Amino acid sequence: MLRSLGQRPVTGSDEDPRVAELRTAVSRLRRELAAHPAEFPDRVIAEDELAALAAMAAHGIPEIPRLRRSLLLIAGAIGSVSALARGLSEVRSAVELFGEPRRR
């Protein structure tokens, strides 16, 4: 059986595939950022927000408003670093899998 996200086989776990996708994208971007040699003013912000996203993904379904806030901060911090654009795009796509926040 294949799931729609990336057409990877579904494992026997009960993990939400959106969370798995988020965890993978965040992990990849964290590695890319760590390996990126250039320093830039908001690097620490990006690192902190990626760590926050990783923690959220490790604890189940994250809060959508918090996901979006972290994404905006990360995009603002590393958006001009072209070497990280693909990884940032993957994180954005993973966040978008969670849809719109519920209206109260």
Side-chain angles (χ1 to χ4, degrees):
M1 179 178 187
L2 296 177
R3 64 184 175 98
S4 62
L5 302 173
Q7 299 299 306
R8 291 184 212 131
V10 174
T11 63
S13 78
D14 291 334
E15 180 179 45
D16 186 318
R18 299 172 304 170
V19 173
E21 203 74 22
L22 178 64
R23 186 174 32 256
T24 299
V26 167
S27 178
R28 184 175 297 124
L29 183 55
R30 288 179 86 183
R31 286 190 309 271
E32 291 173 6
L33 181 58
H36 190 68
E39 287 299 319
F40 47 93
D42 295 330
R43 184 181 189 124
V44 172
I45 292 169
E47 291 169 342
D48 288 349
E49 289 303 318
L50 284 166
L53 283 177
M56 284 187 265
H59 294 97
I61 305 292
E63 294 178 29
I64 295 170
R66 180 65 176 107
L67 281 177
R68 292 185 184 283
R69 179 183 176 277
S70 288
L71 176 61
L72 287 172
L73 289 169
I74 294 165
I78 65 173
S80 64
V81 181
S82 61
L84 301 173
R86 180 172 175 233
L88 178 58
S89 178
E90 290 175 1
V91 170
R92 180 186 50 80
S93 294
V95 168
E96 288 176 352
L97 293 173
F98 289 89
E100 292 295 318
R102 291 187 185 130
R103 301 282 180 196
R104 292 180 190 220

